[in-house]
Amino acid sequence: MKKFFLFLLLIITPIFFSEANASLKVTPTILELNANETKSNYITASFDVQGDKDETIRFKIYPSYFKISPQGTMDVIEENTEEKANLIKNVRFVPNEFTLQNGNKQKVRLTITNLKNIPDGESRMVLFLEDVAAKELILPSGMKDVTTKLIVKTRVGIPIYLDKGKFIKCANIEKIDLKKQNKELQIDLKLTSSGNSKVRYNGKAQIIKGEELISEHKIKNHVIGSNNHITTTEKIPLDSIKTNGEYTLRLVIQYTNEKGHLKSLIEENQFTVDNLSDTNI
């Protein structure tokens, strides 16, 4: 009796780098360069890749262009594009393939050339590290005499950003909507970036009664693409509220502008707690 194999290919792509393989370390995980800091017509950078001491992995490296999506994720564009912000044509890197063994480090060096021909603002690309030898997983298919073989390839992306000339990093809070969801506040947040370079922000949400700080919660860090926006949702627990009354939700967003100055965006919204089991916005 012949046995048939059904082949499936799965490529796992961590966005903005996460350790898809716990034994793989990349340092740094993001390269952010400023062409205004060099007097030459090129700028250099590097990152280190290290595997587990008991593992041997061979990687190939190749570039792709990407945009930052309205969700703050990497929107990879696989096909060739002539967009001005595409950095690929200006970048040279070595090596383009290497093997990690015995926990040794491999340094990847890159040079961005012809800086004078790159437009003002932010240009970007991502270097993907993809394992050459795909892993095979045998899965039950549910069909007699048919076996499903899953071919798994993992790639890790290292984003590379270059700011040049007159670049601006400017963010604003465009909209905040509060909604009750069980025993928490759901914040639907929209932020915009009006500059020609991305904005990387962090922040916190504070619940205040009168002048008393009741609780404080970190919100998720995100990236807003240049001349773009981001929509995100935060959930703030209300278990710190012990009495009915009027409360203020203060949202503090912080980012660093093109001059290296820390900027803060602050918005306040009021809500009422009628009883401990029912919060009305």
Side-chain angles (χ1 to χ4, degrees):
M1 180 72 68
K2 293 184 178 179
K3 178 171 285 190
F4 295 93
F5 286 89
L6 177 63
F7 292 91
L8 300 173
L9 175 64
L10 174 65
I11 297 180
I12 302 174
T13 305
I15 301 301
F16 289 131
F17 184 85
S18 61
E19 293 187 1
N21 185 328
S23 63
L24 183 66
K25 297 179 181 179
V26 178
T27 309
T29 58
I30 299 173
L31 293 177
E32 296 179 299
L33 308 174
N34 187 341
N36 297 340
E37 295 177 353
T38 179
K39 296 181 180 179
S40 303
N41 196 29
Y42 66 90
I43 191 170
T44 60
S46 65
F47 59 89
D48 292 320
V49 187
Q50 185 177 20
D52 190 80
K53 63 180 181 179
D54 299 321
E55 194 169 28
T56 298
I57 314 175
R58 187 159 184 82
F59 286 100
K60 64 178 180 179
I61 305 180
Y62 57 91
S64 291
Y65 176 63
F66 74 93
K67 295 182 178 180
I68 300 174
S69 76
Q71 290 72 45
T73 58
M74 182 186 295
D75 186 5
V76 178
I77 300 173
E78 302 287 359
E79 67 272 9
N80 293 331
T81 175
E82 297 299 323
E83 290 205 28
K84 293 181 179 179
N86 188 351
L87 200 56
I88 293 177
K89 60 184 178 296
N90 296 88
V91 174
R92 306 291 180 267
F93 55 90
V94 290
N96 55 21
E97 195 166 317
F98 61 89
T99 300
L100 292 179
Q101 287 182 305
N102 303 320
N104 294 325
K105 289 183 180 180
Q106 172 67 53
K107 186 174 291 291
V108 178
R109 294 180 171 87
L110 60 108
T111 301
I112 303 175
T113 62
N114 297 319
L115 295 180
K116 63 182 180 181
N117 295 327
I118 295 176
D120 283 4
E122 176 191 281
S123 299
R124 75 194 80 86
M125 59 173 281
V126 56
L127 277 182
F128 280 118
L129 280 65
E130 184 176 304
D131 53 344
V132 174
K135 300 176 178 64
E136 295 184 358
L137 298 176
I138 304 299
L139 304 175
S141 68
M143 295 181 287
K144 185 178 181 181
D145 298 325
V146 176
T147 299
T148 301
K149 183 179 289 187
L150 183 64
I151 310 299
V152 180
K153 302 194 76 172
T154 300
R155 66 179 185 177
V156 172
I158 297 89
I160 300 167
Y161 299 93
L162 177 75
D163 285 320
K164 182 213 166 181
K166 186 177 181 180
F167 63 92
I168 298 173
K169 297 177 180 287
C170 181
N172 288 286
I173 299 174
E174 183 171 315
K175 184 176 67 173
I176 299 177
D177 288 331
L178 302 185
K179 300 176 183 176
K180 177 185 180 294
Q181 197 172 59
N182 297 325
K183 294 184 179 181
E184 61 189 12
L185 285 181
Q186 176 177 302
I187 308 174
D188 293 326
L189 180 64
K190 182 177 181 181
L191 294 99
T192 59
S193 168
S194 57
N196 59 358
S197 181
K198 73 180 183 312
V199 172
R200 193 183 303 279
Y201 74 85
N202 57 54
K204 58 187 177 182
Q206 298 175 326
I207 295 179
I208 300 168
K209 184 175 176 59
E211 297 183 356
E212 180 186 359
L213 177 63
I214 303 300
S215 64
E216 183 173 283
H217 309 270
K218 287 185 177 181
I219 65 172
K220 297 186 289 287
N221 299 343
H222 274 300
V223 178
I224 316 173
S226 56
N227 290 303
N228 207 334
H229 70 273
I230 187 172
T231 55
T232 182
T233 298
E234 303 286 341
K235 294 185 177 181
I236 307 301
L238 298 176
D239 52 6
S240 57
I241 295 180
K242 305 301 181 183
T243 60
N244 297 330
E246 298 291 328
Y247 290 84
T248 298
L249 178 75
R250 176 183 293 161
L251 191 65
V252 182
I253 302 291
Q254 294 186 316
Y255 70 95
T256 302
N257 70 5
E258 69 279 358
K259 296 180 180 179
H261 299 158
L262 185 64
K263 307 292 287 185
S264 295
L265 307 173
I266 302 175
E267 290 281 346
E268 293 185 350
N269 286 264
Q270 278 66 46
F271 63 95
T272 301
V273 176
D274 292 328
N275 57 62
L276 297 180
S277 61
D278 187 17
T279 303
N280 298 318
I281 304 301

